[in-house]
Amino acid sequence: MARRRAMALAVAVATVVGGAPAVAAPAAVACTVTYEITNEWNTGFGATATIRNDGDVMDGWRLTWTFPDGQRVTQGWNGTFSQTGAAVTVTNPDWARTIPAGGSAQVGFNGSKGSANRPPTDFAVNGVACTGPNQPPSVALTAPVTGGTYTLPATIPLAATAQDSDG
């Protein structure tokens, strides 16, 4: 009896020590960002950036972009803003940490500008470019050729090409 308990304990210890804990797969990030200048004046502007979550639930988010014309964020809301040079980072506020699948979050800010005020084009959430939902790959059968005929027994060539536009 003592030997059986010792073996069971050894198996349990080996499982705990040697086994790797199960780790959840990271959430699939797929997003679209809509940037809108809501007001503009001589040296400044107001704008919003809306993240649409086209992937899995986001539990914590970090939106980034780069201003093309030297704009500076002077005041922001619905997120914590920081800026280094032209690079802007906005992290979620505690009260809006989660963006459900199909949901959205919007941040707003006022900024300063020079004579140009082109919108950013390199939005990313959690390091993933916001190019919209994942698009399926395209596949085309290249052999056999359409209308081709074969006399049996025959070897029929089979070939296809595939492309994935968004990785």
Side-chain angles (χ1 to χ4, degrees):
M1 180 71 143
R3 184 178 172 150
R4 246 188 273 164
R5 265 189 260 153
M7 285 177 61
L9 182 59
V11 170
V13 168
T15 302
V16 171
V17 172
V23 176
V29 175
C31 53
T32 305
V33 172
T34 304
Y35 181 85
E36 181 181 6
I37 295 175
T38 56
N39 197 358
E40 195 165 8
W41 54 96
N42 289 346
T43 60
F45 68 105
T48 60
T50 304
I51 305 166
R52 175 169 165 72
N53 181 7
D54 299 313
D56 295 342
V57 173
M58 287 185 205
D59 184 18
W61 52 267
R62 180 179 44 85
L63 173 64
T64 59
W65 72 80
T66 306
F67 278 128
D69 296 319
Q71 300 99 318
R72 301 281 312 164
V73 172
T74 58
Q75 176 188 27
W77 50 92
N78 295 343
T80 303
F81 286 76
S82 63
Q83 185 170 354
T84 302
V88 177
T89 300
V90 186
T91 55
N92 63 268
D94 287 339
W95 52 267
R97 177 177 178 79
T98 302
I99 305 175
S104 62
Q106 184 178 73
V107 298
F109 64 93
N110 289 326
S112 62
K113 66 175 184 78
S115 60
N117 192 22
R118 291 177 296 155
T121 58
D122 63 343
F123 294 97
V125 171
N126 297 344
V128 177
C130 286
T131 57
N134 186 36
Q135 300 300 312
S138 63
V139 179
L141 189 62
T142 58
V145 294
T146 302
T149 59
Y150 300 89
T151 303
L152 294 178
T155 300
I156 301 172
L158 183 60
T161 60
Q163 295 180 332
D164 191 357
S165 63
D166 61 359

